[in-house]
Amino acid sequence: MKYRSTRDKGRQISLSEAMQEGLAPDGGLYVPVQLPVAEPGALAGLTDIREVAAPLLAPFFAGDPLENRIAEIAADAFNFPVPLTPIGIVGGPLSVLELFHGPTAAFKDFGARFLAASLVRMQRADPRPLTIVVATSGDTGGAVAAAFHRRPGFRVVLLYPAGRVAPLQERQLCCWDDNVTTFSVRGSFDDCQRLAKQMFGDAALRESLALSSANSINIGRLLPQLVSFAAASLQVQAVSGRKAGFIIPSGNLGHALACIWAREMGLPIDGIVLAHNANCTVPDYFESGQWRPRASIATISNAMDVGDPSNMERLRDLYPERSIMTSRLAALSIDDQATRNRIRVEHQRSGWVPCPHTAVAAEAWHRLPAAERGRLHWVVVATAHPAKFAEVVEPLIGRNLTPPPALAQLLERPLRRTEIAADLHALRQQLTPS
């Protein structure tokens, strides 16, 4: 299997090379030359994510130096539970896919740990440490830092928008030492994302640093997320005999794209709903046909505060015609008031406490037409533990939340961060001081 840029179909490289580069030299994002077809026989009877990973990802790793180490990488990365929990509700079968049981209590642990487990097993000719650049709107940075912390041969640079992440998320971003450096950027997530992309386009920085990315622009982040959707859909089919529909909290579209790829490969997935907050660039495009990126808006579901999602480039590469895209996907925008109300209602109704991002997806399910809700076994994707957003959630449910033990340990560490302007020159001075 070879990989090409979304902007240059001629240059083709291996998966290991694509993971190490992160972003293509032309600024495009790497995609498989052709999506493989999932072999039903290879996946028959499998529902556990660790079992599904090797046969599902084998075609993506075909011909790569890591092709015989997929099971080993998956066992290293996916060493935490991934429960699919039914929720009794009127209107159709509904389950919650809990992706927040990893070390940083967010779904980003899947991609970050898989990418780290892959990169440490690669043979690199370059003697320089690989500098992993991460623009984060909340959870990605903490997950990547945890995955690469104190691993020899790696350096991590985190960029997050000052004052625009949850307090607990900020502590999680700033609690690292050794090979992790955290920058608080005076700007939005889109400014952080722009800085990260400018780093890759800066000849001087590329000369002095061996750069890679752990954002969802890196193909190594998408593949493990694809596995979680595949395993969940196989589990739904085994239990209910139905195809699964997924409602995905969406920001930079990496997680959603992984689900879309899984469906295109032939997994038992039918409906896919992209649930956005007030940052409605994608829902607006679905409605108007005009692609109009804009500055992001701060919301209580801050990890989704993206006004110019990078993975739209991959999505448009897959579905060049908008009519095809809108026939295969739905996109909804949910505001903060509705998100708060959904958290309150779900807690009162059943005791379930969704985080603000998961609540956006839950509200989107309730807004689907009744016939559509009953047609499939729908799965709301729960992307983070609600305790990470205690300042939002606790007043709504009237009680305190207890952070998971692994997260609580991180919060005991001292804070380390450097505030900078949203300017490449300022960042370059910090990374390569004269």
Side-chain angles (χ1 to χ4, degrees), residues 3-9 11 13 17-18 21-31 197 200-201 206 213 216-219 310-314 317:
Y3 294 79
R4 62 167 178 84
S5 167
T6 49
R7 303 181 187 181
D8 180 6
K9 297 184 179 182
R11 180 177 180 263
I13 62 175
E17 291 171 320
E21 288 188 13
L23 190 69
D26 60 9
L29 281 62
Y30 284 116
V31 296
K197 291 181 178 180
F200 285 89
R206 292 188 74 98
S213 172
S216 58
I217 60 175
N218 193 311
I219 188 75
S310 290
N311 280 288
M312 190 64 176
E313 185 161 340
R314 281 191 174 113
D317 183 85

Side-chain angles (χ1 to χ4, degrees), residues 21-84:
E21 288 188 13
L23 190 69
D26 60 9
L29 281 62
Y30 284 116
V31 296
V33 170
Q34 183 175 3
L35 274 177
V37 175
E39 294 294 337
L43 299 173
L46 303 181
T47 57
D48 183 87
I49 188 170
R50 287 158 288 272
E51 297 174 338
V52 170
L56 183 73
L57 296 183
F60 290 95
F61 281 81
D64 191 86
L66 295 178
E67 66 177 331
N68 295 321
R69 308 188 74 176
I70 309 173
E72 176 188 335
I73 291 168
D76 188 352
F78 307 145
N79 60 350
F80 48 87
V82 191
L84 183 65

Side-chain angles (χ1 to χ4, degrees), residues 44-198:
L46 303 181
T47 57
D48 183 87
I49 188 170
R50 287 158 288 272
E51 297 174 338
V52 170
L56 183 73
L57 296 183
F60 290 95
F61 281 81
D64 191 86
L66 295 178
E67 66 177 331
N68 295 321
R69 308 188 74 176
I70 309 173
E72 176 188 335
I73 291 168
D76 188 352
F78 307 145
N79 60 350
F80 48 87
V82 191
L84 183 65
T85 305
I87 292 184
I89 197 165
V90 176
L94 182 67
S95 296
V96 175
L97 180 60
E98 297 181 5
L99 300 179
F100 52 75
H101 294 283
T104 68
F107 81 96
K108 304 297 179 74
D109 285 319
F110 285 89
R113 290 174 62 80
F114 188 92
L115 179 62
S118 298
L119 290 177
V120 298
R121 288 168 170 82
M122 294 179 189
Q123 298 295 322
R124 295 181 61 240
D126 193 333
R128 299 174 298 174
L130 191 63
T131 298
I132 309 293
V133 182
V134 184
T136 180
S137 54
D139 291 323
T140 299
V144 172
F148 285 93
H149 187 226
R150 294 182 177 172
R151 287 189 185 261
F154 296 93
R155 177 188 186 188
V156 177
V157 174
L158 304 181
L159 306 168
Y160 77 94
R164 300 186 69 166
V165 300
L168 192 148
Q169 287 178 313
E170 185 167 35
R171 291 191 61 84
Q172 193 176 11
L173 290 169
C174 302
C175 68
W176 306 99
D177 58 10
D178 198 68
N179 65 331
V180 178
T181 305
T182 302
F183 293 101
S184 172
V185 179
R186 294 191 292 272
S188 67
F189 168 73
D190 296 303
D191 291 316
C192 297
Q193 188 164 249
R194 172 180 52 79
L195 277 178
K197 291 181 178 180
Q198 286 177 342

